Amino acid sequence: MLESKKMSATKTQLLGLTQAELISFAEQFGQPAFRGRQIFASLHHNRLREFAAMSDLPKQLREQLETLATPASLTVESRYLSADSTRRYLLKTHDGLPVETVFIPEERRDTICFSSQSGCPLQCSFCLTAQLGLLRSLTPGEIVEQIIIALNDAYGVGQKPPHGTNLVGMGAGEPFLAFESLMKALNIIADPKGLHIVPNRVTVSTAGIVPRIKELATMADRPHLAVSLGAPTNEQRDVLMPINRKWPLAELLSACKEFERSLKRGERFTFEYVMLRDVNDSDEHARQLAKLLNRHELRVKVNLIPHNEAEPLPYHPSSRTRVEAFKSILEAKGIPAFVRRPRGQDIFAACGQLAARREANPIHA
Ligand code: SF4
C-alpha cells in the first residue's frame, strides 16, 4: 500500500499538464503529437479517470501510460447531498490529505466551489478551515481534478452539462498562496479541447494577499476577483482576519483601487463581508464600511454573507432584519450591496464550514 502510494507520487500527474505539455510528454516516449492531443481530450473533454477506459488509444500505449503517469490522483472519500441539492465531496490526495469541493446546482447554471489548498495557513477566526492549519497547497492537477469529479458525479462520465458551469475559488485555502498552481489550472480548464471553462466564468476570492492582487491587475486573461473584507476597521480586522496585520486596510484597498482601474468591460470585482451577529453587523459598522470604500473611491459591489454556524466557532449569523438594515445603509451611501443566499449548510458545504468534516450520512460514491 505504502509502495503504491510512493509510486503514484513519482508518476507524472497528467491532469496538471497543458495540452502543449502533454504533446511533448507523448513525444518524449516516441509517440506522435496527435496522441498527446488524444490523451488531453480523453482526460479533460471525456473526463476519463482511467487509462483502461481510453479505448481510442492503442492497448500498448495505455499499458505504457500506466507505468509512467497517472490520469487521476484524488480519491472520493465521501459525498454529501444537501436538501437544497448542493453536493459536497470530501476527497483525498495521494499523500492522504483532505480536499473539499462543493457543487451548487442552479436553474440556469451550476457553480463548482473548488479548494486551492488542503487546510489553510490564514487564521480567519470565523472559518472552520483555519483550524486545520496549512497541510499543503494543491497541485494544478489536483485543482483541475476537482472539477472533473464534480461534473462526472452530477452528469455522468464525460456527459456534457446541460448548462454553463461557473467556478469559484472559495473552498479551502487562500488561492493567492497557491497562485502558480491556480493560474496553471485555470489555463488548463479553459482549453477549448478540454473542459473549456474560460476565466470569465471563474471568480477567485482572496483574504487580501496584496502583491497578488497587484499582479492580477497586470494580467490579461484573468478570473474575476472577490476580496473578503470581514471588518471595516484595522482594529477589528486584525482580530477577525489576522492577515490584516501584514497588509492593513489602507494597503489592501489601494491595491484594490489599482485592480479596479484595470477592470475591463464586463469584468466583476466584489467585496465579500461575512456578517457575524453582534460582532461586525451594527449600523455603525455599515457606516464605517461605506466611509472606507468611499474614501478609496471604490465603486465595487459588496456581497453580504450571513455567517454559517460551525461549531466550535463562537459566532452566529446576523438576523435577516439586521442584514437588511446594514444593506440599506450601504445603499444609501451609494454602495450597491447584495445578500448571498447560503447553500448546503446542512452538509457543512457553506462558506467557512469546510473542515474535512465527516458526517454520518454520506451518499454512496
Ligand atoms: S476564510 Fe479562506 S483564507 Fe480565511 S482561513 Fe478560511 S479558507 Fe483560509
Side-chain angles (χ1 to χ4, degrees), residues 38 42 46 48 50-59 62:
Q38 253 181 331
S42 297
N46 303 332
L48 297 173
E50 288 171 11
F51 291 126
M54 299 178 187
S55 51
D56 52 346
L57 301 179
K59 192 161 176 275
R62 283 183 266 154

Side-chain angles (χ1 to χ4, degrees), residues 117 119-130 170-175 206-207 228 241 352:
Q117 299 184 304
C120 183
L122 304 189
Q123 293 291 310
C124 304
S125 67
F126 48 81
C127 171
L128 212 50
T129 313
M170 298 183 186
E174 162 54 58
T206 179
S228 176
M241 301 180 74

Side-chain angles (χ1 to χ4, degrees), residues 229-287:
L229 272 183
T233 62
N234 280 322
E235 197 186 11
Q236 188 171 47
R237 200 168 187 265
D238 280 352
V239 177
L240 295 178
M241 301 180 74
I243 189 69
N244 194 68
R245 294 179 206 152
K246 187 158 186 187
W247 289 295
L249 280 168
E251 272 185 59
L252 173 60
L253 294 184
S254 65
C256 289
K257 187 67 202 168
E258 206 172 308
F259 186 81
E260 191 190 51
R261 282 195 205 100
S262 77
L263 285 177
K264 288 170 241 122
R265 213 181 147 81
E267 237 187 314
R268 282 192 308 274
F269 176 29
T270 48
F271 283 116
E272 316 259 295
Y273 191 93
V274 60
M275 295 203 59
L276 309 165
R277 190 199 303 166
D278 300 332
V279 175
N280 65 355
D281 65 349
S282 68
D283 288 355
E284 181 56 17
H285 289 119
R287 283 191 287 270

Side-chain angles (χ1 to χ4, degrees), residues 77-81 88 347 358-365:
E77 286 253 286
S78 330
R79 300 187 311 156
Y80 303 93
L81 182 61
R88 174 168 74 99
I347 55 163
R358 283 181 180 76
E359 299 299 304
N361 58 342
I363 51 175
H364 294 293

Side-chain angles (χ1 to χ4, degrees), residues 310-345:
E311 270 188 37
L313 301 181
Y315 301 109
H316 303 286
S318 306
S319 68
R320 188 177 282 222
T321 45
R322 186 87 296 273
V323 175
E324 286 305 321
F326 197 97
K327 179 174 181 277
S328 305
I329 292 172
L330 292 182
E331 286 171 341
K333 307 261 179 207
I335 294 165
F338 300 84
V339 181
R340 246 196 19 215
R341 193 163 56 101
R343 297 289 303 263
Q345 272 176 323

